[in-house]
Amino acid sequence: MKKLLAILGVITCMFGLCACGQEETTQTNYNEDDLIAGCVEMLNRIDLNVAQGASNIESYSDMPAVYNALLSWQSALPDIGTYDGTNGGTVTASEDEIIVEVNVLGSKHNAVVEFIIDSKTASYLSITTNVTYSFGELMVKAFLNTVIGMGTVFVVLIFISLIISSFGLISKVGDKKKAEPKATQSAVAADPVVEQIAQKEELAGDAELVAVIAAAIAAYEGSGSTDGFVVRSIRKSNKSKWQNA
């Protein structure tokens, strides 16, 4: 049988004897010293079970209050350091529950272990270890948490702004690629050398037609020779016959 069950049984019997014959009273009679002593004994058992390793802690997974107490003590031990015993405690009672706070002494930090006990069933509702930090340590932790939180927000905002700005660069690159073919075509069309070469090639294929046109123009002007005439290009007229008349 698990070790902590025996402690729970002792605490339950103690409260049962105190409450015997007083079922109609609003508060159970108890002895503060006995409550604190019982909680200190429970704490010693918790420390012993944590020292035996994680596998031993997991064996109490079916007892939520005890299991969470072991995990809480385990997570607090690095800040507490060496467990050097206890230094008294306080008891606060209400109609439904009793709160016992045990002062723990440690080599690094002291702590307060809070035991919440059901007044009617005398069973543990929760056991939590709270490390006692100095005011300076609390301020440093608060500052670090603030810096980390704000730093994370700024990093995310910068990342989002970079993504948004990259959209503009992508659109500019796309527009530039589309504009390059048009610029090339315009340059070719505007180049006079290319235009002259094209006209010469066009005329080279119509040599006979050029000679006929030159002769016709010479006859119209009354000149006996076509030496003074140079046909540079031949273009098809788009006018209708009626317009040419």
Side-chain angles (χ1 to χ4, degrees):
M1 188 176 184
K2 296 176 181 179
K3 297 177 181 180
L4 290 181
L5 290 177
I7 301 298
L8 292 174
V10 171
I11 298 294
T12 303
C13 291
M14 181 181 66
F15 278 96
L17 291 174
C18 294
C20 184
Q22 300 180 12
E23 295 179 356
E24 295 180 359
T25 60
T26 58
Q27 183 175 347
T28 303
N29 293 332
Y30 59 86
N31 183 286
E32 290 188 6
D33 293 337
D34 291 340
L35 279 175
I36 294 174
C39 290
V40 169
E41 180 62 26
M42 183 67 170
L43 177 59
N44 293 333
R45 294 288 183 178
I46 290 173
D47 181 64
L48 179 62
N49 280 272
V50 170
Q52 292 178 359
S55 59
N56 187 65
I57 295 175
E58 292 300 323
S59 65
Y60 292 96
S61 59
D62 58 339
M63 302 171 63
V66 177
Y67 180 69
N68 291 329
L70 295 171
L71 293 178
S72 179
W73 180 256
Q74 183 187 41
S75 63
L77 275 179
D79 289 335
I80 294 174
T82 305
Y83 172 44
D84 296 331
T86 60
N87 184 25
T90 60
V91 178
T92 305
S94 65
E95 183 178 354
D96 298 325
E97 61 185 24
I98 299 173
I99 300 175
V100 181
E101 293 183 344
V102 177
N103 300 322
V104 175
L105 302 176
S107 60
K108 294 182 180 179
H109 294 88
N110 295 334
V112 175
V113 181
E114 183 183 65
F115 297 80
I116 299 179
I117 305 170
D118 192 306
S119 298
K120 297 179 180 179
T121 62
S123 60
Y124 289 107
L125 299 178
S126 69
I127 303 173
T128 307
T129 304
N130 302 306
V131 179
T132 304
Y133 298 101
S134 65
F135 179 76
E137 290 174 327
L138 293 175
M139 291 299 295
V140 170
K141 285 190 175 184
F143 175 75
L144 291 177
N145 290 335
T146 302
V147 170
I148 292 173
M150 294 181 63
T152 303
V153 172
F154 277 113
V155 169
V156 173
L157 291 176
I158 292 172
F159 180 72
I160 293 174
S161 65
L162 290 175
I163 293 177
I164 294 174
S165 62
S166 66
F167 292 157
L169 295 175
I170 294 173
S171 63
K172 289 181 180 180
V173 171
D175 294 340
K176 185 177 180 180
K177 290 183 177 179
K178 291 180 180 178
E180 286 178 355
K182 295 181 179 179
T184 303
Q185 294 176 0
S186 299
V188 172
D191 192 345
V193 177
V194 175
E195 184 177 358
Q196 291 177 5
I197 294 173
Q199 291 176 355
K200 290 180 179 179
E201 291 179 352
E202 181 181 355
L203 292 176
D206 299 325
E208 295 181 358
L209 180 60
V210 169
V212 172
I213 292 174
I217 294 174
Y220 178 78
E221 293 291 336
S223 175
S225 174
T226 60
D227 295 338
F229 302 100
V230 177
V231 180
R232 298 185 179 277
S233 64
I234 301 173
R235 296 180 182 178
K236 183 179 180 181
S237 176
N238 294 326
K239 293 182 181 181
S240 63
K241 294 180 179 180
W242 292 100
Q243 291 175 333
N244 293 330

